[in-house]
């Protein structure tokens, strides 16, 4: 049975609370747009495609009771970097203005994302050879999407085609999406993997233990610069230094046609407490200040290829 991050149930949304994984599988029942906005903002759901899908359903729930523009603004202001959020909200708002069924539009957004992920998996698996050792960052699997996944979806597709793969999983501080979520998904799929600290990747590359890097994206600009989970830029520099291919996997809904370069992307800064503590465990002095930049920008020149459901883009050609 495939991993799912959410289910639409006619009059409410069921959401797997990713903050509780891997210890517990807790499902939240969300019945209004404010509950959906809170879930997005507080990281119960994360991953740009999943955020977009969930926000669309939140809009459906909200317009039953509130002014559509107010609902739109509340949901839009939850996370500033992930472009899929704005893309999905614009689609359901347009459907409402045109008199179309917004529930059907939200369902279409979810279905299209899943189909795009399966297609990206097929296209991207050509870049994985039998016996490869690949590195991934954060969580880009079914939990981050409508299902199957982006970068992790490519790995999943290659695995199910019979290729032997070993995945090195960055822990991904401070929310530990790699350690908690990616490892959990790989374990469920029976895909061989090893968890590493974020700072281990460069040394493994130097030792010749990484054959390729696969990451997702939260926003892609016209130039081909990519906003993604903090640490992605560092990996791209390391990969370039060691002549290792660096692949970005994302649906076309992640491309922002109005943003020229990475310099223009709004970068989310989250609470410093998320750096100083985790799940109630405080491990730094209370008086110490922390900086929590949630995303960074990987320039197009560091990217070997961007894999989409419509084909492969080579930014440097």
């Amino acid at each position: 049975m495939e991993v799912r991050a959410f289910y639409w149930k006619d009059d409410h949304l069921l959401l797997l609370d990713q903050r509780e994984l891997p210890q517990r599988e807790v499902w939240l029942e969300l019945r209004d747009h404010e509950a959906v906005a809170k879930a997005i903002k507080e990281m119960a759901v994360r991953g740009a495609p999943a955020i977009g899908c969930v926000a669309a359903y939140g809009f459906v729930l909200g317009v039953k009771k509130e002014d559509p523009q107010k609902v739109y603004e509340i949901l839009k202001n939850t996370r500033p970097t992930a472009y899929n959020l704005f893309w999905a909200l614009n689609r359901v708002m347009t459907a409402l203005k045109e008199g179309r069924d917004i529930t059907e539009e939200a369902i279409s957004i979810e279905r299209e994302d899943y189909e795009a992920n399966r297609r990206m998996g097929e296209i991207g698996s050509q870049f994985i050879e039998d016996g490869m050792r690949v590195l991934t960052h954060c969580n880009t699997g079914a939990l981050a999407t409508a299902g199957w996944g982006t970068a992790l979806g490519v790995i999943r597709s290659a695995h199910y085609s019979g290729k032997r793969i070993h995945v090195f999983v960055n822990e991904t501080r401070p929310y530990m999406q790699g350690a908690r979520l990616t490892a959990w998904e790989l374990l469920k799929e029976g895909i061989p993997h090893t968890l590493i600290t974020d700072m281990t990747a460069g040394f493994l590359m130097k030792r010749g233990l990484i054959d390729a890097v696969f990451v997702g994206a939260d926003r892609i600009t016209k130039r081909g610069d990519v906003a993604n989970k903090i640490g992605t830029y560092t990996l791209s520099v390391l990969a370039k230094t060691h002549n290792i291919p660096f692949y970005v996997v994302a649906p076309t809904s992640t491309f922002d046609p109005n943003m020229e370069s990475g310099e223009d992307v709004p970068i989310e800064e989250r609470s410093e407490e998320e750096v100083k503590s985790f799940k109630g465990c405080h491990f730094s002095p209370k008086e110490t200040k922390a900086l929590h930049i949630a995303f960074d920008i990987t320039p197009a020149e560091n990217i070997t290829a961007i894999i989409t459901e419509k084909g492969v883009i080579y930014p440097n050609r």
Side-chain angles (χ1 to χ4, degrees):
M1 187 175 179
E2 287 186 30
V3 171
R4 294 288 301 276
F6 58 88
Y7 291 94
W8 175 249
K9 292 289 186 181
D10 297 324
D11 63 345
H12 68 281
L13 186 67
L14 285 175
L15 185 74
L16 180 60
D17 190 342
Q18 296 183 33
R19 298 167 299 187
E20 299 293 334
L21 291 172
Q23 285 81 12
R24 300 192 303 156
E25 293 185 30
V26 177
W27 288 87
L28 306 175
E29 288 191 12
L30 308 180
R31 296 184 178 273
D32 58 58
H33 66 287
E34 291 182 343
V36 172
K38 186 173 186 287
I40 295 172
K41 202 168 213 177
E42 296 183 1
M43 302 282 283
V45 60
R46 22 70 48 207
I51 288 171
C53 293
V54 167
Y57 285 123
F59 185 83
V60 171
L61 293 171
V63 296
K64 294 177 181 178
K65 300 176 182 178
E66 292 279 357
D67 172 68
Q69 189 60 43
K70 181 180 178 182
V71 173
Y72 177 92
E73 292 297 328
I74 288 172
L75 290 166
K76 185 189 77 169
N77 290 323
T78 52
R79 303 290 301 274
T81 304
Y83 184 68
N84 305 68
L85 169 66
F86 311 104
W87 175 85
L89 286 173
N90 288 339
R91 274 190 57 171
V92 286
M93 177 62 90
T94 299
L96 180 67
K97 290 178 179 178
E98 294 177 353
R100 293 186 283 117
D101 189 321
I102 58 172
T103 303
E104 286 302 315
E105 187 70 10
I107 291 170
S108 293
I109 289 170
E110 178 186 353
R111 182 178 62 249
E112 289 168 21
D113 184 67
Y114 181 80
E115 291 171 353
N117 293 339
R118 293 302 298 259
R119 179 62 181 148
M120 286 187 292
E122 293 170 9
I123 295 171
S125 62
Q126 68 180 294
F127 296 104
I128 296 181
E129 298 176 5
D130 186 46
M132 260 193 171
R133 299 153 300 178
V134 302
L135 174 72
T136 191
H137 187 57
C138 199
N139 173 263
T140 57
L143 291 172
T145 64
W148 202 255
T150 55
L152 200 59
V154 167
I155 294 167
R156 181 176 277 120
S157 292
H159 170 74
Y160 281 112
S161 73
K163 294 176 181 176
R164 293 167 301 147
I165 312 165
H166 192 92
V167 185
F168 285 97
V169 181
N170 262 5
E171 61 183 350
T172 325
R173 284 277 293 142
Y175 252 91
M176 311 298 283
Q177 292 100 322
R180 296 187 303 106
L181 308 180
T182 297
W184 182 75
E185 286 198 48
L186 290 170
L187 194 63
K188 279 184 171 288
E189 300 282 355
I191 300 175
H193 61 282
T194 300
L195 178 66
I196 60 174
T197 64
D198 290 348
M199 293 297 102
T200 302
F203 192 55
L204 292 185
M205 291 179 186
K206 187 177 186 296
R207 283 187 160 185
L209 297 175
I210 304 294
D211 299 307
V213 180
F214 287 85
V215 300
D218 285 82
R219 190 186 299 234
I220 302 175
T221 69
K222 289 167 68 175
R223 183 179 176 273
D225 299 335
V226 169
N228 195 49
K229 178 67 181 178
I230 192 75
T232 303
Y233 168 70
T234 305
L235 290 176
S236 77
V237 173
L238 289 168
K240 193 172 185 178
T241 298
H242 294 91
N243 296 311
I244 295 169
F246 186 92
Y247 300 107
V248 173
V249 188
T252 52
S253 57
T254 305
F255 286 73
D256 185 348
N258 301 310
M259 202 146 285
E260 191 64 39
S261 74
E263 297 300 317
D264 305 318
V265 176
I267 299 297
E268 178 181 6
E269 291 192 27
R270 295 183 61 83
S271 166
E272 67 174 353
E273 290 305 315
E274 294 176 346
V275 174
K276 295 164 63 175
S277 65
F278 185 70
K279 288 196 170 184
C281 177
H282 294 263
F283 38 74
S284 68
K286 183 179 178 182
E287 297 79 10
T288 297
K289 293 296 180 183
L291 177 63
H292 185 186
I293 299 173
F295 300 93
D296 58 26
I297 304 294
T298 298
E301 55 266 27
N302 287 10
I303 298 168
T304 306
I306 301 174
I307 300 162
T308 80
E309 77 277 20
K310 295 183 178 180
V312 181
I313 300 168
Y314 297 93
N316 295 310
R317 289 187 185 177

